[in-house]
Amino acid sequence: LRISSRGGRRIPARRQRRQREVACSLLPPSVPLGEMRWSSSAAMAVATLARVVAAATYLKHGDVVYLTVPRSRHRVTAQSDGSVHAKWNHQGLWQRLTLERAEGAGELRSGDTVLFKAWTGKRVTAQGVQVHAKWNHTGSWERFVIEAKGAEAGAPIAPESIVFLQAHTDKRIDADAPDSPGVVQARWNHKGAWQELLIEKHSAIPRCADLTSGNIADLLTVKTVQLPAAISA
């Protein structure tokens, strides 16, 4: 992402950093830097970014997500043998889950029934208490009711939200609980800290949250992003 003025002149590095800081401070950490249009005016950059946020805030059918345990930062992981656990804080292929709404295309909302397809093509399944990803079925065992913490039924769910996943057994998933480290299971219908999961959206583009002094230089020279004149005006 190259930051330049309208005339194509290079903006000083210190000013570039300040523009990024101002804009990122006003945005959710999940917003991709690559979707931002940076101009010579920080105010103009923020205004453009606000439009991006309005269109890209909520999760939807087909998004690739991570399910993270807030306490440990361990992520739900599907291995090639179909086992599912939360032993690692990795954010790689094995942790990526494709979000599928049972109703199909559309924004994800609290109370929706969802399925999670692993990188293997198999779906996360609740078989009694056990949770695995051994089958590509789309039946009741693969379906979970997703509820956003503190949200009303029908409210859209944004990345970085805390959610609960209720299985067909009426039990909710708990992962990496203090009494069973690394285990993902569906034991109780509680909605407590052990059942909380942070849902993160995968993006191949760096996010505001990834903006550090160590990678600013690299980010400045990736590519130039231009929006139509009607938007940038």
Side-chain angles (χ1 to χ4, degrees), residues 17 58 63 68 102 111 118 124 133 139-141 154 158 179 196 198 200 204 228:
R17 293 192 188 95
Y58 301 118
D63 281 344
T68 303
V124 176
S140 62
W141 290 14
D179 70 336
E196 292 182 358
L198 178 71
E200 304 172 288

Side-chain angles (χ1 to χ4, degrees), residues 74-93:
H74 290 178
R75 293 182 173 88
V76 172
T77 299
Q79 296 197 219
S80 57
D81 63 358
S83 62
V84 170
H85 64 78
K87 299 177 182 178
W88 308 324
N89 64 357
H90 304 172
Q91 201 170 24
L93 177 63

Side-chain angles (χ1 to χ4, degrees), residues 9-90:
R9 296 186 301 277
R10 184 79 173 176
I11 297 174
R14 188 164 70 175
R15 188 172 179 185
Q16 292 175 11
R17 293 192 188 95
R18 180 55 184 158
Q19 288 186 8
R20 289 176 183 272
E21 290 168 0
V22 170
C24 286
S25 70
L26 301 176
L27 296 170
S30 59
V31 174
L33 286 169
E35 294 181 16
M36 300 179 181
R37 163 67 157 83
W38 298 85
S39 74
S40 59
S41 164
M44 187 175 236
V46 172
T48 302
L49 291 173
R51 297 188 182 96
V52 173
V53 173
T57 296
Y58 301 118
L59 293 167
K60 63 183 182 301
H61 175 79
D63 281 344
V64 177
V65 300
Y66 304 99
L67 295 174
T68 303
V69 180
R71 299 182 314 280
S72 64
R73 300 301 298 180
H74 290 178
R75 293 182 173 88
V76 172
T77 299
Q79 296 197 219
S80 57
D81 63 358
S83 62
V84 170
H85 64 78
K87 299 177 182 178
W88 308 324
N89 64 357
H90 304 172

Side-chain angles (χ1 to χ4, degrees), residues 87-103:
K87 299 177 182 178
W88 308 324
N89 64 357
H90 304 172
Q91 201 170 24
L93 177 63
W94 289 11
Q95 288 75 38
R96 294 175 194 169
L97 300 168
T98 300
L99 174 67
E100 300 175 313
R101 294 177 70 246
E103 295 184 0

